[in-house]
Amino acid sequence: MTEFKETELDERAIKMAKVLSADAVERAGHGHPGSPVSLAPIAYTLYQHFIKHDPNDPNWEGRDRFILSGGHASLTQYVQLYFSGYGVTLDDLKNFRGGAATRTPGHPEYGLTPGIEMTTGPLGQGFASAIGFAYGERFQRGLLDPETPKEDSPFYHKIWAICGEGDIEEGISGEAASLAANQKLGNLTVIFDANRIQIEGDTNLVLAEDVLKRFQAYGWYTDEFSFIQPDGSYKEDVEGLADTIAKARAAAPNQPKLIKVDTLIAWPTPGKTNDPSSHGSKLGAEAVAGLKKLLGYDPEESFHVDEEALAHARKVAERGLEAHKEWDEKFAAWQKANPDSKRATTHSNRAVLDNVERIYAFRHVGDYPLIVNVAQSVDAVANDQADIGFFAIDPKRGETIAFTDAYLHIEGWYAVREDSPITATTEVDHPGIRVAVGQGSAYDLFLSRELKQAEIVRAPNPQAVTPLFVERRLEVAA
């Protein structure tokens, strides 16, 4: 990416994102307006400058993946999808939380809104699942194109996520973060929105540790950028943020990255900035009118579109087409260079392994995860019926184990990870990759949230369903 310089049109687009988010919640009568208002400059910077995507083809296999872990702030993403030209319309924003007919529900839903990579809502789940996405990219590239420098491979892409304190507080994110660092998932960048607000007040009621030091201890690259200035003023310095992100990617190619951004929720809404009430309730007519007045909008007009700023933001689709064209050339060159190995074919513009018929034949019920026992899941990897395996117990040896190395294909390296691997692998998001997860009955409650999430999200790849193997009533063999 070239150096990012914010223009007047960028600034106007960010202001429009704030106003549209406030209007959408106000019309719905309920929702979470504060974070979408203050996250607008961060999300805009990512979508316009860092995330490689093609709004003309949301399922393009070469795209980067973006996950909004705090799904309650869904308008953050919906507005950027509208700006980018994904087919999300102004009427969709007006129909936010509009019931069964809406394409913009309170939390992002995979398969409903173009450009949404996964359903998010349970705090920490999206963070952990982003690590599954990162696993999937590395596995696919390591299987199909291991010798090519990653930046030159058609199978390389990045995973981006935004999380908040609510995600960081959850144990599931801590386990997954530890695993991500251990596995050196350098393709993952997480923006940590640190606004210190939760629905009950200041987050220091329940979260007091130095989060960056904790992630450094895991092995992550960390950095911090603050919109809150030393003199107490507030500046949404997107150029400085872009420089921080670019520096992280250059400094730590083999580490997952956590960039903490200090923000004030709902800024600059009068009477609601840095106020817990802006987290989970509409801002109110007076506050929304004050926000519009501060940003140069007519307080009496709702859902006003700055057409010139929108046209500027929509140019990202042109850049996406160019990136897609470059990827097509890389992919064609790879196909030509690999005529006799595990070649890829084109299926709905996705790279799918030649042995996909065997994958299709693997037992599953619709798009839902398959529930079988641990012995079968261990055998699945051993007999080449699954590519990545995460297990808590090996019934053949009665030993506690966890996973086979997904990148080096070294079977037999095991360690205990009872929760986060299962979470991650429910979201390994790449065609042709089959995941086996095994768990013993003593730990079945660990799986309840992951199973529910997998059931809701179903499978990101309906052409090659990622099977999940679970046995709730396993008697381990002696």
Side-chain angles (χ1 to χ4, degrees):
M1 288 290 182
T2 57
E3 186 178 0
F4 181 56
K5 293 295 183 183
E6 184 185 29
T7 67
E8 179 197 359
L9 288 173
D10 291 321
E11 185 178 359
R12 284 163 55 183
I14 290 168
K15 289 178 178 178
M16 179 166 55
K18 291 173 179 284
V19 170
L20 290 175
S21 296
D23 276 342
V25 176
E26 203 67 21
R27 171 169 287 195
H30 43 78
H32 295 77
S35 290
V37 169
S38 50
L39 278 172
I42 298 173
Y44 181 84
T45 301
L46 290 178
Y47 267 88
Q48 291 289 318
H49 185 61
F50 286 99
I51 300 172
K52 179 179 65 176
H53 60 119
D54 180 4
N56 305 282
D57 183 3
N59 295 321
W60 167 40
E61 184 58 27
R63 71 193 185 280
D64 288 353
R65 273 65 165 174
F66 171 78
I67 297 169
L68 182 66
S69 188
H72 58 274
S74 56
L75 278 163
T76 302
Q77 190 168 12
Y78 295 151
V79 170
Q80 296 308 318
L81 295 176
Y82 168 61
F83 281 5
S84 300
Y86 273 86
V88 175
T89 67
L90 186 64
D91 284 339
D92 288 325
L93 298 181
K94 292 178 180 179
N95 198 32
F96 174 64
R97 287 189 168 223
T102 187
R103 294 206 306 163
T104 49
H107 294 73
E109 295 184 18
Y110 172 80
L112 180 63
T113 313
I116 299 297
E117 298 288 356
M118 68 167 289
T119 301
T120 55
L123 293 175
Q125 185 82 39
F127 182 103
S129 295
I131 290 161
F133 279 64
Y135 254 113
E137 182 279 328
R138 192 181 67 173
F139 179 85
Q140 184 187 60
R141 179 168 49 84
L143 179 67
L144 299 176
D145 201 21
E147 302 302 325
T148 302
K150 64 181 181 181
E151 296 285 353
D152 298 328
S153 172
F155 301 104
Y156 177 68
H157 58 261
K158 304 178 185 74
I159 288 77
W160 303 88
I162 292 177
C163 76
E165 283 101 339
D167 297 294
I168 294 295
E169 288 170 358
E170 296 296 326
I172 199 170
S173 62
E175 283 195 63
S178 173
L179 184 66
N182 177 270
Q183 292 294 295
K184 297 179 173 58
L185 297 179
N187 54 350
L188 173 65
T189 300
V190 179
I191 306 298
F192 169 31
D193 174 33
N195 61 32
R196 295 188 60 181
I197 292 294
Q198 58 164 333
I199 201 165
E200 295 296 330
D202 196 303
T203 55
N204 64 15
L205 293 169
V206 291
L207 182 69
E209 77 266 19
D210 187 322
V211 172
L212 293 188
K213 286 184 179 179
R214 173 155 66 91
F215 274 74
Q216 289 167 14
Y218 291 144
W220 286 56
Y221 172 94
T222 68
D223 204 348
E224 183 171 9
F225 189 81
S226 184
F227 287 167
I228 305 170
Q229 304 304 304
D231 63 0
S233 63
Y234 197 81
K235 180 184 179 182
E236 292 178 331
D237 180 6
V238 294
E239 292 182 6
L241 173 63
D243 289 343
T244 300
I245 296 172
K247 183 182 75 172
R249 298 213 57 82
N254 297 315
Q255 290 175 273
K257 287 154 275 289
L258 183 76
I259 298 174
K260 178 183 178 183
V261 183
D262 299 300
T263 65
L264 294 177
I265 194 169
W267 188 88
T269 311
K272 295 293 182 176
T273 296
N274 202 33
D275 190 285
S277 67
S278 68
H279 171 80
S281 302
K282 65 179 185 177
L283 299 173
E286 182 180 351
V288 172
L291 173 66
K292 291 177 180 178
K293 188 174 180 180
L294 278 173
L295 298 181
Y297 279 71
D298 182 351
E300 302 300 320
E301 184 179 359
S302 295
F303 294 100
H304 176 75
V305 173
D306 181 336
E307 295 290 352
E308 191 177 10
L310 179 62
H312 173 72
R314 290 249 165 112
K315 290 181 180 179
V316 73
E318 299 173 12
R319 299 192 291 274
L321 282 173
E322 287 298 315
H324 198 153
K325 181 180 177 181
E326 292 175 7
W327 182 87
D328 284 341
E329 293 172 355
K330 287 183 180 180
F331 185 66
W334 179 85
Q335 285 183 305
K336 184 177 180 180
N338 293 271
D340 300 317
S341 61
K342 288 188 175 179
R343 296 180 299 170
T345 59
T346 300
H347 183 90
S348 299
N349 205 31
R350 287 171 175 261
V352 182
L353 297 180
D354 276 345
N355 63 359
V356 72
E357 293 81 5
R358 174 167 60 86
I359 299 170
Y360 289 158
F362 206 79
R363 292 185 299 127
H364 62 272
V365 181
D367 286 342
Y368 289 90
L370 175 66
I371 298 177
V372 297
N373 65 38
V374 174
Q376 288 173 297
S377 62
V378 173
D379 288 340
V381 174
N383 297 327
D384 196 31
Q385 291 176 314
D387 300 303
I388 305 175
F390 287 81
F391 317 114
I393 294 175
D394 182 350
K396 295 180 179 179
R397 298 185 299 184
E399 296 178 4
T400 307
I401 62 176
F403 59 90
T404 58
D405 188 286
Y407 184 51
L408 299 175
H409 312 290
I410 299 175
E411 295 182 10
W413 288 11
Y414 303 116
V416 178
R417 302 295 322 201
E418 292 171 353
D419 191 5
S420 58
I422 294 165
T423 300
T425 53
T426 60
E427 298 304 334
V428 170
D429 172 50
H430 291 79
I433 295 179
R434 302 148 301 162
V435 178
V437 177
Q439 184 61 285
S441 59
Y443 309 104
D444 62 354
L445 289 178
F446 282 132
L447 299 176
S448 56
R449 182 157 86 166
E450 287 72 19
L451 283 173
K452 187 62 177 177
Q453 182 76 4
E455 178 185 359
I456 293 171
V457 178
R458 303 210 175 180
N461 300 303
Q463 304 301 328
V465 173
T466 303
L468 176 67
F469 302 79
V470 179
E471 172 57 50
R472 293 177 178 271
R473 298 170 301 278
L474 174 69
E475 293 185 4
V476 180

